[in-house]
Every structure is written in structure tokens, then in C-alpha cells.
Amino acid sequence: MEGERLASQARSSGLPAGGATAESPGVDAPLLGSSGSSALLQAEVLDLDEDEDDLEVFSKDASLMDMNSFSPMMPTSPLSMINQVKFEDEPDLKDLFITVDEPESHVTTIETFITYRIITKTSRGEFDSSEFEVRRRYQDFLWLKGKLEEAHPTLIIPPLPEKFIVKGMVERFNDDFIETRRKALQKFLNRIADHPTLTFNEDFKVFLTAQAWELSSHKKQGPGLLSRMGQTVRAVALSMRGVKSRPEEFMEMNNFIEIFSQKINLIDKISQRIYKEEREYSDEMKEYGPIHVLWSASEEDLVDSLRGVARCLDQCCKATEKRMSGLSEALLPAVHEYVLYSEMVMGVMKRRDQIQAELDSKVEALTYKKADTDLLIEEIGKLEDKVECANNALKADWERWKHNMQNDIKSAFTDMAEENIHYYEQCLATWESFLASQTDLHMEETSEDKPESH
């Protein structure tokens, strides 16, 4: 088949198997778990960014968005893989730098929301200027994520922080939550900027450069609500039908991500619980030292020992605070990001299966001659090319994602190990110093108690 020959040429040119590792965000968000468990929590969640005006339908579960895999922007020939995936031998020169900062609260008669300033600096020729400054709210990030999924249904789009959180876990729009979200949004944009394909997406460029009114106008240029609903219904029907024979390599990917999701969710839950318990331990320690100081006022013979213990506890408290800060800024956000990534990858697998299911349905129709034969043959040819293109894009991005994931997780664990070593060394040195001082004091007291020899 001509499609197979062209796809073979594209593969022989080389597909990316790795990519740069972006820095870890400070995402210390409450755990929601997998999409299944999030459904159980729907009755207990708090919407932090209600969008009354936008007709776009978004969900953390992303089940509806996952179905929208039949975008007209999807390449119809393996040759268009050139536009989907960059080749490995291209230079990896960073030319796009994005910062998210200065959150601002906005209160209207119907809603309260936060906007963030986004500064983009670039040397790319397709941009009209070298620096841009815009303000965006969370729903704008959701719009961008949706457009990327439509244009690249089998590429792994970076995850956004959750829109919903469990009641009682954090106050609405408090400083810690806003800072956590700011860091996660910055990570999201820089992940896209570092991706060899997503970085050149036109909607991404519009998001970074257009003023608010221009972005609003650009959003309205997309398909209408009825069109999106039609695509969703079609995708749901195909997903219910299922795939007759998923290729072995995608079976292996699916098995890998299911096991990965189970393990990373468990690590995330335990890590969050340990952090909470150590935070409580740190708070108790802060009350422990002053008690020794108060006690020393009524124990003249133990003044030095009691105050020495109080100083040690104070120093250990400071070391614990520093260690807790390291956990919240390194390990916890890295682990939680890959909890969200696992959900995104599962969504990509579903979209790939839906594209293949559409091809299977046409082949079955041709077998039983349920429609015009010539038209079916033409449609099957196009769908075969579309499936091959989708498969190649996913295989290339899968290797890149695994490479980044392994580097990120290793880096997070290494940082945690170094933090722990430094913490325990500090505490050990503190208590050893106390013991040495008590030994010297004991020797002095013993020397004073000895009778003088004549």
C-alpha cells in the first residue's frame, strides 16, 4: 500500500526517542487519585474556577475530551508525520522561555477568579516580537490543553493541575494554593515549549501572544457546540464498540501505564500522608524546646542541661522545616505530576483505540457490503493512513515521555536522599555537640568534688 511505503520512509528518517527534562514544579496539591476515584469524590469537591460564560465542556476526568479524537487537523497521510514529529538529529536549542507570575484576584457579581501574568521571551522568527506579556486565567489553560489534544490526539500532552479539590483540604484561593497552582501552570507551559512538536502549535502561540480580546475572538473560530457534541457522540459509540485486535506494542504500553498508575498513585498517597504526619511532628517539636527552658528556671542544678536540650531541639526544628520545604518543592510535586501524567497517557491510549475502531468499523462494513463499496474503499485507505500516522506519533512520544519520566523520578529521589542525609547529619552533629558539652561539664564537676591531695 502506498501509505505503508510513505510511513516506512518517515520511520527510516528517524523518530525522537528522548527529550530534555524540564524542572520540577512546586505542586503540593491535594491528592485526587485516578479518574475512577475522582468520580466518587464529585459530591465532595469544590470548584475553584467556575466558568459561567464559556460553552467549552471540560472535566478533570477528561473522559469527554478523550473522545474528541477525530479532529480535522489530524494528518491524513503518513507523510505529514514531518509536521507531527521532529527528527532526533535536529539541534536541541532552547529558544522559548516562559514565566508565570503575579497572580491577581478578580471579583465580579457572578464569580471570583485568579489571573496570572505570562511573560514569553523568544528568538523565533515566526513571532512578531522577542517578548510578550499577557494575562490568563485557569479556563484559558484548559482551552489550550483541549486544543492541543484535538490537534495531536496521540501525543502525550502535559497535565494541568486539578481544577477541583476536596473540601476542607485548602481554603478557596489562599496564598499557598495560588502559589502551588502558579508553579504548576508554569511547568505546564514549559513542558509544551520543550516538546519537539507541541511547541510549534499555532494555538500555543496565540495563547502566549494574544491579548484577552484577541484570544476570546480566536476561541470562537473553533467548531461550535453542536459539532463538538456530534464528535463526542461518535467517539462514545466507537469506544463502546472497542478494538478488535490492538497491536502487541500498544498492549504492552497499556499494561505498563496501568501498573505505573497503580504504583505512582500509591506512592503519592503515602508521600502526602508522611508529609502531613511530619508536619504535625514538627509542630510538636516547636512546643517541646520552650518547656525545657521553663523547667530550667526551677532546677538550678539542671540549668545547663535543660537549656542545652532546648537549643538542640530548636536547631533540629529548623533542620526539619528545611527538610519539609524540600519535600514540598521537589519530591511531592514530581510524584503528583506523574499521577496526573498517568491519566493523560491513558487518555491518549483511548484516543488511539478510537481511531483504530473507526477503521475496523469501515472494514467490517465493506466485508458485509453495508454501504457503497467504492466509497468505503476510499475511506478505508484514508483511515489506514490516519491510524498509521497516529501509531507512529504515539510510539515516538511514548519513548520521549518514558525517558523524561525516568529522569524526573530519579532526580526527585536523588534530591530526597541528599536532603535526608543533610538533615540527619545536622541533627546528629547537634546532639553530639550536646553530649560533648555534658561530658566536659561532668568532668569539671567531678574535678571540683575531688578533695585536694596534700
Side-chain angles (χ1 to χ4, degrees):
M1 188 180 72
E2 180 64 11
E4 293 179 353
R5 183 182 66 80
L6 293 174
S8 176
Q9 290 175 355
R11 286 195 296 270
S12 66
S13 300
L15 296 174
T21 303
E23 77 279 10
S24 297
V27 182
D28 186 12
L31 176 72
L32 289 183
S34 65
S35 59
S37 61
S38 63
L40 297 176
L41 288 170
Q42 285 179 355
E44 302 178 12
V45 297
L46 176 66
D47 187 352
L48 289 181
D49 193 6
E50 199 67 48
D51 180 16
E52 301 281 348
D53 301 322
D54 197 347
L55 291 177
E56 295 283 341
V57 181
F58 295 104
S59 167
K60 175 190 176 298
D61 177 86
S63 57
L64 292 181
M65 190 63 72
D66 290 346
M67 304 303 179
N68 193 5
S69 57
F70 306 99
S71 167
M73 300 179 69
M74 180 69 189
T76 56
S77 166
L79 192 60
S80 59
M81 281 292 295
I82 295 173
N83 297 322
Q84 276 270 322
V85 183
K86 291 183 67 179
F87 299 136
E88 279 185 317
D89 54 0
E90 293 186 12
D92 185 20
L93 300 176
K94 190 171 178 66
D95 54 7
L96 191 61
F97 302 87
I98 304 169
T99 303
V100 179
D101 61 13
E102 293 190 6
E104 287 184 2
S105 178
H106 301 262
V107 180
T108 70
T109 55
I110 60 173
E111 62 177 345
T112 299
F113 59 93
I114 306 294
T115 63
Y116 302 84
R117 183 177 72 164
I118 300 174
I119 296 178
T120 303
K121 296 182 180 180
T122 182
S123 58
R124 292 184 185 175
E126 63 264 29
F127 285 82
D128 297 333
S129 176
S130 60
E131 184 170 344
F132 298 86
E133 179 178 323
V134 297
R135 297 201 71 86
R136 298 285 182 259
R137 59 183 293 184
Y138 184 74
Q139 71 176 37
D140 298 325
F141 287 85
L142 282 172
W143 169 82
L144 174 61
K145 174 177 168 286
K147 296 302 287 185
L148 292 175
E149 288 176 341
E150 289 176 13
H152 311 282
T154 55
L155 292 184
I156 301 171
I157 311 300
L160 277 170
E162 296 98 331
K163 180 175 182 178
F164 300 101
I165 62 167
V166 178
K167 280 185 176 179
M169 293 296 288
V170 68
E171 295 178 11
R172 183 179 176 89
F173 296 147
N174 72 3
D175 291 342
D176 289 341
F177 173 79
I178 292 173
E179 177 61 11
T180 293
R181 174 169 280 188
R182 181 199 67 78
K183 290 178 179 178
L185 295 177
Q186 179 168 291
K187 163 61 64 116
F188 170 73
L189 294 180
N190 279 287
R191 289 280 198 194
I192 297 171
D194 292 338
H195 193 283
T197 302
L198 301 178
T199 188
F200 296 107
N201 179 274
E202 183 63 25
D203 289 306
F204 181 47
K205 177 185 173 184
V206 170
F207 177 90
L208 296 176
T209 61
Q211 294 305 308
W213 66 270
E214 295 174 313
L215 180 62
S216 179
S217 176
H218 182 78
K219 287 181 180 181
K220 295 175 182 177
Q221 295 175 11
L225 178 61
L226 291 178
S227 175
R228 294 196 306 275
M229 288 178 63
Q231 290 177 337
T232 299
V233 170
R234 182 184 182 191
V236 169
L238 289 170
S239 66
M240 295 292 291
R241 174 190 179 89
V243 179
K244 287 186 176 181
S245 58
R246 182 187 292 148
E248 180 65 27
E249 57 194 321
F250 297 112
M251 288 291 293
E252 292 175 1
M253 287 184 193
N254 195 68
N255 293 337
F256 176 93
I257 201 62
E258 285 183 356
I259 295 173
F260 175 82
S261 178
Q262 293 172 2
K263 303 307 180 187
I264 201 70
N265 268 282
L266 187 57
I267 288 176
D268 186 51
K269 289 179 181 178
I270 296 173
S271 298
Q272 296 281 355
R273 189 165 65 242
I274 289 174
Y275 178 81
K276 180 176 180 292
E277 291 172 355
E278 291 203 8
R279 173 60 64 193
E280 293 172 352
Y281 165 77
S282 177
D283 291 340
E284 293 286 348
M285 285 276 286
K286 290 175 183 176
E287 298 180 11
Y288 197 32
I291 294 174
H292 290 77
V293 175
L294 293 173
W295 187 14
S296 69
S298 59
E299 289 283 352
E300 185 177 342
D301 294 336
L302 292 176
V303 169
D304 291 336
S305 295
L306 289 170
R307 291 188 175 179
V309 170
R311 284 192 296 271
C312 289
L313 291 171
D314 181 61
Q315 291 177 27
C316 287
C317 277
K318 292 177 180 176
T320 301
E321 282 294 319
K322 186 175 180 181
R323 177 168 172 262
M324 299 298 291
S325 177
L327 280 174
S328 67
E329 293 180 4
L331 179 66
L332 296 183
V335 170
H336 193 70
E337 183 187 23
Y338 279 97
V339 168
L340 302 179
Y341 250 129
S342 67
E343 297 172 9
M344 296 296 296
V345 175
M346 288 179 177
V348 170
M349 297 293 183
K350 289 180 183 178
R351 291 194 289 272
R352 193 219 70 84
D353 285 353
Q354 288 157 12
I355 296 172
Q356 183 179 335
E358 186 178 18
L359 171 61
D360 291 345
S361 68
K362 297 295 183 182
V363 171
E364 182 180 349
L366 179 62
T367 302
Y368 294 100
K369 297 181 179 179
K370 295 180 180 179
D372 180 73
T373 302
D374 292 338
L375 180 61
L376 278 174
I377 291 174
E378 181 181 352
E379 290 179 350
I380 288 171
K382 291 179 179 179
L383 283 170
E384 285 175 339
D385 288 350
K386 185 176 180 180
V387 168
E388 190 164 11
C389 180
N391 289 348
N392 287 337
L394 176 53
K395 285 187 284 187
D397 218 29
W398 172 260
E399 292 302 324
R400 180 183 182 277
W401 177 81
K402 280 187 67 177
H403 175 80
N404 282 353
M405 178 271 292
Q406 291 164 359
N407 283 346
D408 289 346
I409 296 298
K410 286 179 183 177
S411 177
F413 288 156
T414 300
D415 290 344
M416 178 189 68
E418 291 176 350
E419 285 280 352
N420 284 340
I421 290 171
H422 185 60
Y423 166 74
Y424 288 114
E425 283 178 343
Q426 277 187 300
C427 292
L428 179 63
T430 297
W431 289 110
E432 284 181 337
S433 175
F434 170 74
L435 287 176
S437 69
Q438 294 303 296
T439 302
D440 293 342
L441 180 61
H442 178 71
M443 292 178 63
E444 289 176 8
E445 292 174 347
T446 302
S447 176
E448 290 174 0
D449 291 341
K450 278 186 178 181
E452 295 183 9
S453 58
H454 297 285

